[in-house]
Amino acid sequence: MAETLGTVAVLLLAVYGLMEGIRQLVARLVYPPCGERGVWVLWVRGHCEDAEFLVRCAAARCRGRMPLCAVEIDTDDDTHRVLEATCRAVRGAKLFTPATFCERFF
């Protein structure tokens, strides 16, 4: 009985590993690394209750393939602190003001 359970467990893990390998291969083919060909710009204005959620969702969508620029326009202190902390914590995310964004990209 224990031998049968062990065999089933090994087969399930093998199938899972095969599925994960196929998923990573398809993701590599569908989303090839593109380098610095694009920038994901996220505009945040005023008081934004879900600023951290917006940055984290945009970073998950980018998946590290392109830089994420969060540009704050007339944000209050709370939103600024949240954006600053989130951009420090999320890989590839940077916080800009409109002036610094224009200097950097234009």
Side-chain angles (χ1 to χ4, degrees):
M1 182 68 176
E3 183 177 312
T4 304
L5 289 176
T7 304
V8 168
V10 168
L11 286 175
L12 287 175
L13 289 173
V15 168
Y16 175 73
L18 182 64
M19 287 173 39
E20 187 65 24
I22 291 171
R23 186 192 66 79
Q24 288 181 0
L25 178 66
V26 168
R28 180 67 64 171
L29 292 174
V30 172
Y31 302 113
C34 63
E36 289 284 330
R37 291 190 300 182
V39 175
W40 188 286
V41 180
L42 181 66
W43 300 94
V44 180
R45 176 172 298 199
H47 181 73
C48 186
E49 290 288 331
D50 53 354
E52 180 179 3
F53 178 74
L54 291 174
V55 172
R56 291 190 183 276
C57 286
R61 178 114 174 152
C62 291
R63 295 186 185 142
R65 290 188 305 272
M66 64 180 70
L68 171 65
C69 300
V71 181
E72 59 176 355
I73 303 170
D74 300 328
T75 57
D76 60 353
D77 290 336
D78 293 336
T79 305
H80 174 73
R81 282 194 297 271
V82 168
L83 283 172
E84 195 173 39
T86 305
C87 287
R88 259 189 273 122
V90 173
R91 183 183 66 141
K94 293 184 178 123
L95 183 62
F96 292 96
T97 62
T100 58
F101 181 75
C102 290
E103 288 173 8
R104 168 82 162 82
F105 292 103
F106 297 109

